[in-house]
Amino acid sequence: MFLTRRALGVAFSAGFSIVLAGPVAAQGQLTVYCSVQEEWCRPMMAAFEKETGIKVSMTRKSSGETYAQVKAESANPRGDVWWGGTGDPHMQAAEEGLTEEYKSPKLTELNDWAVRQWEGSKGRTVGIYSGALGFAYNTKLIAEKKLPEPKCWADLLDPKLKDEVQVADPNSSGTSYTMLATMVQIMGEQKAFEYLKALHKNINQYTKSGAAPAKATSLGETTVGIAFLHDHVMMIVDGAPMKAVAPCEGTGYEIGSMSIIKGAKNMDNAKKFYDWALTPAAQALAAPAKSFQVPSNKATPIPPQAPKLADIKLINFDFAKYGSSDERKRLLAKWDAEVKNLP
Ligand code: PLP
């Protein structure tokens, strides 16, 4: 069963109360900043509204963009919960005191990697899903253009792939920042920036959203797209002519996270959402929305389509270091200065 039994709503009118056993009565508001894909944001908010009667106002923005919004609004917060998106800007927000400490009773039900995110942020963010980074190529375009099938990060530097590769801008996108931090951890910082500068020659567009290159690959607008493997799988299950690749050198991964915004106007409802979002019933809403991450609650079934993390050569990603405010700001500034504006 997806949803637990609805609570009975109580309406007050002219000095007497009426118990409603039908749709739950209005229970106030909640503003959620959603950083997963729109296709998953919408059913998640609708299910929470239906279950609780709390009216949700939702905005979808990429991870880095949402972090910037939360920071810009910190003097007068307008959002209550930030749900989804890569963990690094959630960690940065935690360190900068932009988010609230909260210990959910559901914490004991989560995988260690999700709890570590909570511990590392001193209780200000928690893991809700995980997924590995990779790339995909459009099999029709690769064959038509007689291009070699890329298997490794190094293969994406092939001059034959000039203008054939798409990835997001790491300032707006947590996916792309995960790639930047992954390269630094695999190659060391100097070689990683040499790699990213060389890759720039093959990039046709830096998109705002991290999943956009997966969609563009499915539509044949780019031959290769770099994104989370589950974003590629989302296209493949719909029949896109695509092959997803876990790069041979190894790859990084994300711990998608959730935080309560400091000074949230609807704090009680924010905590209700937070607890609910960690339940197996809520996390099971991902798969029907074709979001195939690995969920954080141990009792949530892992969708069979989810890329199997155990089969992928994952690096030992240092979430504390690459989610720290100083390191994230420094790497993004360096990417802007040395990569973004190259001809
Ligand atoms: N959508 C999905 C399915 C994700 O797993 C993630 C990462 O957490 C995002 C979106 C975040 O996207 P962006 O790279 O645009 O911040």
Side-chain angles (χ1 to χ4, degrees):
M1 186 168 94
F2 272 7
L3 304 175
T4 58
R5 200 166 53 83
R6 284 180 190 164
L8 295 182
V10 181
F12 294 94
S13 165
F16 60 92
S17 64
I18 307 161
V19 176
L20 299 176
V24 254
Q27 297 293 331
Q29 314 276 321
L30 183 71
T31 301
V32 179
Y33 294 161
C34 186
S35 294
V36 298
Q37 296 206 55
E38 186 90 33
E39 291 89 336
W40 185 17
C41 296
R42 277 187 269 104
M44 185 77 178
M45 303 311 144
F48 182 70
E49 278 192 348
K50 196 170 167 203
E51 170 131 340
T52 61
I54 295 167
K55 178 94 192 70
V56 180
S57 158
M58 185 275 287
T59 312
R60 196 277 154 191
K61 280 199 173 109
S62 283
S63 318
E65 288 182 295
T66 304
Y67 160 78
Q69 182 171 357
V70 169
K71 192 171 171 88
E73 293 173 353
S74 60
N76 183 21
R78 294 168 59 188
D80 299 310
V81 176
W82 175 10
W83 180 71
T86 57
D88 48 281
H90 283 270
M91 293 290 277
Q92 183 175 1
E95 188 187 330
E96 294 174 359
L98 302 173
T99 47
E100 193 76 39
E101 208 179 307
Y102 178 56
K103 186 171 186 181
S104 169
K106 293 279 155 202
L107 205 61
T108 52
E109 297 178 22
L110 307 184
N111 280 299
D112 291 350
W113 48 262
V115 179
R116 272 201 300 274
Q117 191 78 346
W118 182 82
E119 288 165 350
S121 66
K122 302 196 172 64
R124 293 191 148 96
T125 192
V126 68
I128 53 175
Y129 57 80
S130 183
L133 185 73
F135 55 81
Y137 55 85
N138 183 299
T139 47
K140 270 195 191 156
L141 288 181
I142 282 270
E144 273 167 30
K145 297 183 182 189
K146 299 191 170 47
L147 294 167
E149 294 177 4
K151 294 189 169 50
C152 304
W153 291 115
D155 297 339
L156 302 187
L157 300 187
D158 188 334
K160 291 192 192 113
L161 288 175
K162 184 164 167 49
D163 292 334
E164 302 283 357
V165 183
Q166 196 173 104
V167 69
D169 182 319
N171 291 288
S172 57
S173 156
T175 307
S176 184
Y177 179 76
T178 302
M179 181 189 175
L180 171 52
T182 294
M183 292 312 169
V184 171
Q185 290 171 88
I186 290 178
M187 302 174 183
E189 188 165 328
Q190 195 190 335
K191 287 221 167 70
F193 273 85
E194 282 165 20
Y195 175 87
L196 293 167
K197 284 185 223 173
L199 181 66
H200 179 85
K201 297 193 179 100
N202 289 351
I203 297 290
N204 50 43
Q205 195 189 342
Y206 291 110
T207 60
K208 197 145 80 157
S209 140
K215 276 189 190 149
T217 308
S218 77
L219 297 170
E221 292 168 2
T222 183
T223 304
V224 179
I226 301 170
F228 285 113
L229 289 171
H230 51 255
D231 290 331
H232 298 307
V233 172
M234 186 186 222
M235 305 296 133
I236 292 169
V237 296
D238 273 347
M242 275 166 78
K243 185 160 171 30
V245 179
C248 74
E249 298 92 339
T251 193
Y253 65 103
E254 63 162 333
I255 296 176
S257 298
M258 166 170 67
S259 311
I260 294 178
I261 294 164
K262 183 113 190 158
K265 304 265 186 316
N266 301 296
M267 188 56 83
D268 288 348
N269 287 347
K271 289 178 179 167
K272 269 186 203 145
F273 181 91
Y274 189 108
D275 293 343
W276 175 79
L278 295 177
T279 62
Q283 295 196 346
L285 296 171
K290 296 181 194 150
S291 286
F292 301 121
Q293 291 92 334
V294 176
S296 67
N297 190 309
K298 288 185 223 164
T300 314
I302 300 178
Q305 301 91 337
K308 303 211 171 11
L309 297 183
D311 298 346
I312 298 169
K313 193 171 160 189
L314 291 180
I315 62 169
N316 187 14
F317 204 107
D318 188 341
F319 292 103
K321 176 169 180 188
Y322 294 96
S324 76
S325 184
D326 285 351
E327 190 65 358
R328 197 167 172 278
K329 275 193 221 154
R330 187 184 72 77
L331 285 175
L332 288 172
K334 187 164 171 171
W335 185 84
D336 281 347
E338 295 188 16
V339 182
K340 187 177 188 168
N341 295 319
L342 286 174

